Amino acid sequence: MTQGFFQLAIALAILLSVAPFLGRYMARVFMGQKTLLDPIAIPLERLLFTIGGFANQSSMTGRKYVSAVLVSNLVMGILVFFIFLLQRALPLNPTNLTAPSWHLALHTAISFVTNTNQQHYSGETTYSYFSQVGALGFLMFTSAATGIAVAIAFIRGLTGNALGNFYVDLTLSITRILLPISIVGAIVLVIAGVPETFAGPAVAQTLEGATQYIARGPVAHFEIIKELGENGGGFFGINSAHPYENPNNFVNLFTNIIMLIIPAGLILTYGIMARKPRQGWLIFGMVFIFYVLMVGITAYGEYVGNPLVNNILGEQVPNLEGKEVRFGWALTALWAVSTTGTMCGAVNGMHDSLMPPGGFATLSDIFLQIIWGGQGTGTAYLFVFLILTVFLTGLMVGRTPEFLSRKIEKREIVLSSIILLAHPIAILIPGAVTLAFPEALAGISNPGFHGVSQVIYEYASAAANNGSGFEGLGDNTLWWNLSTSFSLIVGRYVPIIALIYLADSMAQKQSVPETAGTLYTDSFLFTGVTAGTILILGALTFLPVLALGPIAEGFAIAKAAAEVTAGL
């Protein structure tokens, strides 16, 4: 137990050390200040701006920014969809894989262009090297950069500045942040034992004389952007539980930190760009406490283990079902919360095998979307909660609510409500339809309360742009591919559109001078009220689902264990 918690403490300490440096660096990048990469990046960016036809880099209105996001994502999604359908005729296909079904190709394209990377397939047996690297790897950079660009535009709008140019921010996100870290990180992964090759599967003769084909590929550079960009889509079917994606404890720790640093750093980037560093650190601290709490809940559940199994063994043992013994209960719990908190979705153990506390924590992460949240969009969601908290506290004291010296009025509250309502709509409606026809549509492998969690988790993962799942669900069907595509699109683009219009609305407001009655948002009291608002809104929306899923499952297991004990 001591070793497990020591490993957790090391990971948390590294995060606290690294996030501030990246936060300051990202602020310098998007504020146009000098950075170490300028001599290399500026000539490349000028070339890209010239080729792209936006060398003047003029700021966009909210409407133009939304149009740029939607059109660029649509074009990229269509391109990747046709690459999948034509992969048999394309190069870098050493195993001669045929095209997937049209609905799987559609789901995969939508999933990756939305930064979700939900996989209803096993990568090594479905998509060629060209499809994985040229199509999925391409979207891993652009979808993550889209999220960062939207977050930066949102921060600018909140602080009364112009939104900026989407294509410029998209380019800077790749050339200054994602690509440099990915290059260094991929080299580290290769040195640590992650393969990087275009050779076909290795052929080995087993001791029994049989022939075994061992899948491999250009994994290292795919793996680093998978974690850094909060993409999560695995090169292999079992994702980061595969020894080629995650061969040892060093890689496990390294990639865990990598998936956290951008969303954690962006909170501090906000503090710098808004000239509210204290508020940035207070929000960072609030989210960090939520994160540690969820890690603790999950780790405790896995450490205590399954009481039914403990009764059989006659002693308390950790729950190791669905886990890599290389990582054990502690690092699996940490990874599960990190990947659902950041909307990454990569897994180093099967979430379907987590004990009910772990299922509760991971589902709660996906429902709330702010621990640490999606690539860029999670930071924006945090400030939507801040705006709602300002509005609620303003109602309590009878003042017109203000945030960053700008009045919060009807338009801002309507847009904030749309952002928060899109998520449950994309989860609960298709989830209810699926559960109404469990045999025809759901494909549930576990009946009862756990089956409810399986279905709701799948839609929550899609709507939150997470991509992980309670596997065991038969999800490569026409229904699952199309219904989760609905959740992917609604969960990604409705909030992004509302976020941009909200930022544009705030940018056009006149600054209101501070008075004796001004509510200061960079205080411990206001941060505490914000935390309460997040928990109350989250509980009101999703507590019934949690009660029908992991909470009821936990009580059922405890009751069954008590009955076994009484019978003995």
Side-chain angles (χ1 to χ4, degrees):
M1 178 177 182
T2 303
Q3 181 183 7
F5 283 112
F6 179 68
Q7 292 171 328
L8 296 179
I10 290 176
L12 296 176
I14 293 174
L15 173 64
L16 288 174
S17 302
V18 175
F21 289 101
L22 186 60
R24 287 192 290 269
Y25 170 74
M26 289 190 291
R28 295 184 66 86
V29 167
F30 292 108
M31 292 171 70
Q33 299 176 358
K34 185 176 181 180
T35 68
L36 290 175
L37 292 178
D38 284 357
I40 300 174
I42 288 177
L44 174 61
E45 289 159 2
R46 286 175 178 168
L47 176 62
L48 293 174
F49 295 156
T50 302
I51 294 173
F54 45 93
N56 59 2
Q57 303 182 18
S58 59
S59 182
M60 293 178 169
T61 63
R63 182 182 296 274
K64 287 185 177 180
Y65 207 101
V66 167
S67 177
V69 171
L70 297 181
V71 171
S72 63
N73 280 229
L74 178 62
V75 171
M76 290 186 289
I78 292 173
L79 172 64
V80 168
F81 174 70
F82 281 107
I83 288 176
F84 294 155
L85 295 183
L86 298 173
Q87 79 169 2
R88 182 65 180 269
L90 295 173
L92 297 178
N93 186 5
T95 53
N96 295 315
L97 293 171
T98 58
S101 65
W102 69 267
H103 51 84
L104 177 59
L106 178 65
H107 174 269
T108 306
I110 294 173
S111 181
F112 277 74
V113 82
T114 57
N115 196 229
T116 309
N117 298 29
Q118 188 177 57
Q119 295 176 284
H120 291 171
Y121 63 90
S122 292
E124 66 270 40
T125 58
T126 306
Y127 289 116
S128 66
Y129 292 169
F130 187 89
S131 293
Q132 295 236 59
V133 176
L136 300 183
F138 161 69
L139 289 181
M140 283 183 173
F141 278 96
T142 57
S143 64
T146 297
I148 296 174
V150 169
I152 296 301
F154 188 71
I155 292 171
R156 291 189 185 120
L158 288 184
T159 55
N161 297 305
L163 299 183
N165 186 296
F166 169 71
Y167 297 110
V168 171
D169 291 338
L170 181 80
T171 303
L172 292 178
S173 298
I174 295 174
T175 59
R176 300 299 184 99
I177 300 169
L178 297 174
L179 191 58
I181 299 176
S182 293
I183 291 173
V184 175
I187 294 171
V188 171
L189 291 182
V190 169
I191 294 172
V194 179
E196 179 73 17
T197 178
F198 282 112
V203 181
Q205 298 296 321
T206 67
L207 294 176
E208 293 82 6
T211 301
Q212 181 178 0
Y213 296 91
I214 304 172
R216 53 184 176 176
V219 182
H221 84 278
F222 192 91
E223 184 71 16
I224 189 65
I225 189 58
K226 178 187 96 173
E227 313 296 0
L228 179 66
E230 291 183 50
N231 292 287
F235 195 92
F236 301 102
I238 58 173
N239 210 282
S240 289
H242 196 289
Y244 284 176
E245 291 197 36
N246 194 357
N248 50 56
N249 275 281
F250 167 76
V251 172
N252 188 74
L253 176 61
F254 177 71
T255 49
N256 198 327
I257 298 300
I258 284 293
M259 79 171 77
L260 292 166
I261 56 173
I262 290 181
L266 273 172
I267 298 175
L268 302 177
T269 299
Y270 156 79
I272 296 170
M273 294 181 68
R275 295 182 176 85
K276 293 279 188 180
R278 175 181 168 85
Q279 186 177 51
W281 275 107
L282 285 172
I283 297 170
F284 181 94
M286 177 190 72
V287 175
F288 186 78
I289 290 171
F290 277 140
Y291 173 63
V292 172
L293 179 63
M294 292 301 181
V295 171
I297 291 172
T298 306
Y300 175 78
E302 300 311 300
Y303 173 73
V304 171
N306 190 326
L308 292 170
V309 175
N310 292 344
N311 283 339
I312 295 173
L313 297 177
E315 61 177 328
Q316 179 184 308
V317 295
N319 173 37
L320 294 179
E321 179 191 346
K323 295 176 178 60
E324 270 289 319
V325 293
R326 296 174 293 148
F327 309 133
W329 62 271
L331 295 182
T332 304
L334 175 67
W335 187 288
V337 175
S338 296
T339 194
T340 52
T342 60
M343 304 302 114
C344 176
V347 295
N348 73 346
M350 296 300 102
H351 290 192
D352 190 51
S353 297
L354 293 172
M355 294 302 297
F360 174 88
T362 51
L363 272 169
S364 296
D365 282 347
I366 297 174
F367 288 155
L368 295 177
Q369 299 192 87
I370 52 92
I371 315 171
W372 299 85
Q375 187 83 303
T377 54
T379 307
Y381 286 146
L382 270 172
F383 296 106
V384 170
F385 278 111
L386 283 176
I387 290 171
L388 289 174
T389 304
V390 168
F391 175 71
L392 293 174
T393 52
L395 290 178
M396 292 177 187
V397 298
R399 280 183 55 86
T400 301
E402 301 169 8
F403 183 62
L404 297 179
S405 300
R406 284 164 179 79
K407 290 184 178 182
I408 304 300
E409 298 173 305
K410 177 183 176 181
R411 179 178 172 83
E412 289 73 45
I413 297 304
V414 169
L415 290 169
S416 297
S417 300
I418 290 173
I419 292 165
L420 297 183
L421 287 173
H423 191 51
I425 288 172
I427 298 170
L428 300 179
I429 292 177
V433 173
T434 302
L435 289 170
F437 304 96
E439 295 182 0
L441 300 179
I444 298 171
S445 60
N446 291 284
F449 303 121
H450 195 82
V452 174
S453 296
Q454 280 186 312
V455 170
I456 296 301
Y457 193 108
E458 189 74 7
Y459 287 114
S461 174
N465 306 140
N466 180 262
S468 64
F470 268 26
E471 296 309 332
L473 197 66
D475 50 22
N476 186 15
T477 64
L478 179 65
W479 167 254
W480 275 114
N481 286 330
L482 295 184
S483 63
T484 51
S485 293
F486 163 80
S487 298
L488 290 166
I489 293 171
V490 172
R492 176 71 165 180
Y493 294 112
V494 171
I496 280 181
I497 292 169
L499 283 169
I500 294 170
Y501 280 120
L502 174 58
D504 191 41
S505 177
M506 292 290 285
Q508 295 175 25
K509 290 180 178 290
Q510 294 294 322
S511 177
V512 178
E514 293 183 356
T515 66
T518 297
L519 174 66
Y520 292 97
T521 57
D522 55 350
S523 65
F524 285 101
L525 176 61
F526 182 81
T527 305
V529 174
T530 301
T533 302
I534 292 170
L535 292 176
I536 291 171
L537 290 177
L540 288 174
T541 306
F542 291 110
L543 185 58
V545 176
L546 291 169
L548 290 172
I551 294 175
E553 183 184 4
F555 279 113
I557 291 174
K559 179 182 178 182
E563 291 174 348
V564 170
T565 302
L568 294 175

